[in-house]
């Protein structure tokens, strides 16, 4: 039998220990919401899938992550080890949106840490982007689909409020979507990745560049060159945004 306070202390201790054993990188976390063991579960009432209100009302990344951690809105919650809300800096230059956690992510609670994730990190680093410096890495669904299958449309739809809310808090300068699921979900389109990748479109006024998923590059070497071309398109866009920003700043302070 544990009280809420004891559980919280234990959870915080485990978080800190986990961070320092892993890589010292302090992950974003929200306040835990535990209850005392002796409080009986409320009777009869249907379970509120989003607990404490709707995701779009959460006003910090930590609160969104907390809602995700408690979420049971789709069947993926039954098979997850833990949720993977995403990580990185707020107000990032680039928000990367992938599909959903794989086995490594499900075990660590961190996005893109397996083979595909390591390739993604190398690709981003080649144009000066780092998840602990100027990026945020997220996924369409926050819980691992069993056997790495694609998320079902109803799972992506159930989880969409979280990504939408994350984006409106993060206010990224640019979104890089990796793979078909991410771009099709963000743009609510059935258009093929082949027709969408490599040029900028927009998501709610934010420049969005669709590219291949790094797993696709691991499976098919021939996609590496076009993926590199996409990264160059991203690099050009970032330097244009930088120049526009510098011009505005100069105009404000002549
Ligand atoms: N693939 C994804 O789409 N996301 C991850 O976080 C890891 C692998
Ligand atoms: Fe909730 Fe998303 Fe996990 Fe489904 S995948 S249980 S909607 S957090």
């Amino acid at each position: 039998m544990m009280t809420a306070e004891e559980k919280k202390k234990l959870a915080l201790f485990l978080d800190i220990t986990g961070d320092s054993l892993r890589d010292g990188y302090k992950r974003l976390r929200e306040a835990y919401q535990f209850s005392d063991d002796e409080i009986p579960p409320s009777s009869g009432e249907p379970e509120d899938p989003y607990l404490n209100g709707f995701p779009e009302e959460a006003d910090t990344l930590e609160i969104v992550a907390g809602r995700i951690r408690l979420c049971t809105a789709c069947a993926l919650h039954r098979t997850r080890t833990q949720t993977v809300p995403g990580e990185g800096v707020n107000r990032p230059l680039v928000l990367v949106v992938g599909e959903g956690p794989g086995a490594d992510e499900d075990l660590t609670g961190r996005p893109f840490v397996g083979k595909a994730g390591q390739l993604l990190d190398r690709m981003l680093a080649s144009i000066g982007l780092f998840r602990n410096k100027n990026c945020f890495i997220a996924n369409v669904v926050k819980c691992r689909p069993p056997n790495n299958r694609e998320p079902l449309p109803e799972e992506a739809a159930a989880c969409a409020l979280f990504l939408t809310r994350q984006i409106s808090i993060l206010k990224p300068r640019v979104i890089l979507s990796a793979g078909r699921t991410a771009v099709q979900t963000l743009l609510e389109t059935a258009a093929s990745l082949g027709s969408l990748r490599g040029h900028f479109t927009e998501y709610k006024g934010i420049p969005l560049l669709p590219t291949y998923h790094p797993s696709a590059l691991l499976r098919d070497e021939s996609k590496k060159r076009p993926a590199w071309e996409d990264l160059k398109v991203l690099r050009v866009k970032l330097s244009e945004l930088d120049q526009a920003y510098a011009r505005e700043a100069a105009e404000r302070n002549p």
Side-chain angles (χ1 to χ4, degrees):
M1 196 68 93
M2 282 173 87
T3 66
E5 198 49 39
E6 288 167 332
K7 290 180 201 173
K8 190 171 152 194
K9 279 191 183 143
L10 179 59
L12 292 174
F13 173 73
L14 290 172
D15 284 345
I16 292 164
T17 312
D19 282 344
S20 53
L21 284 177
R22 205 159 30 237
D23 52 12
Y25 176 52
K26 192 171 180 305
R27 290 166 50 208
L28 292 169
R29 292 188 181 87
E30 50 50 73
Y32 287 103
Q33 299 174 43
F34 292 120
S35 51
D36 295 339
D37 273 344
E38 55 269 30
I39 295 173
S42 65
S43 59
E45 292 293 307
E47 194 178 354
D48 174 357
Y50 298 119
L51 295 150
N52 315 316
F54 289 94
E56 64 264 40
E57 289 160 2
D59 57 6
T60 67
L61 291 171
E62 290 77 10
I63 290 172
V64 177
R67 300 268 170 85
I68 291 169
R69 208 160 280 132
L70 300 169
C71 181
T72 57
C74 85
L76 296 182
H77 84 274
R78 294 208 186 86
T79 44
R80 72 186 176 211
T81 307
Q82 59 189 313
T83 58
V84 183
E87 71 182 21
V89 299
N90 200 352
R91 302 296 181 111
L93 270 183
V94 177
L95 164 66
V96 180
V97 180
E99 179 173 286
D104 299 304
E105 292 76 21
D106 177 70
L107 287 176
T108 57
R110 300 180 60 205
F112 279 106
V113 292
K115 272 215 159 61
Q118 289 159 28
L119 175 58
L120 175 69
D121 280 344
R122 287 200 299 279
M123 292 165 63
L124 293 174
S126 74
I127 56 167
L129 297 171
F130 304 91
R131 64 173 86 191
N132 58 358
K133 201 172 131 198
N134 50 17
C135 292
F136 194 94
I137 317 282
N139 281 301
V140 168
V141 294
K142 316 302 191 189
C143 305
R144 182 192 182 199
N147 306 315
N148 300 339
R149 66 160 168 78
E150 281 181 21
L152 301 173
E154 60 264 33
E155 292 159 353
C159 216
L161 285 175
F162 291 122
L163 182 59
T164 308
R165 190 67 195 118
Q166 286 176 317
I167 294 173
S168 65
I169 295 170
L170 286 163
K171 298 186 173 53
R173 309 271 302 272
V174 171
I175 300 174
L176 179 71
S177 67
R180 187 169 64 90
T181 304
V183 67
Q184 287 187 343
T185 304
L186 285 168
L187 297 182
E188 299 183 71
T189 178
S192 71
L193 179 60
S195 70
L196 294 166
R197 65 148 273 274
H199 49 265
F200 271 95
T201 166
E202 266 194 11
Y203 169 85
K204 295 185 182 173
I206 304 168
L208 164 66
L209 180 65
T211 188
Y212 290 119
H213 194 286
S215 304
L217 309 184
L218 292 172
R219 281 194 304 269
D220 179 357
E221 284 276 322
S222 75
K223 292 201 168 84
K224 282 193 171 164
R225 178 167 289 274
W228 172 238
E229 297 300 325
D230 295 352
L231 280 180
K232 287 199 283 192
V233 170
L234 174 59
R235 188 171 59 185
V236 168
K237 174 64 111 191
L238 291 173
S239 88
E240 283 170 6
L241 287 172
D242 240 21
Q243 284 159 20
Y245 183 79
R247 265 198 311 277
E248 278 169 34
E251 278 162 21
R252 271 198 308 274
N253 309 296

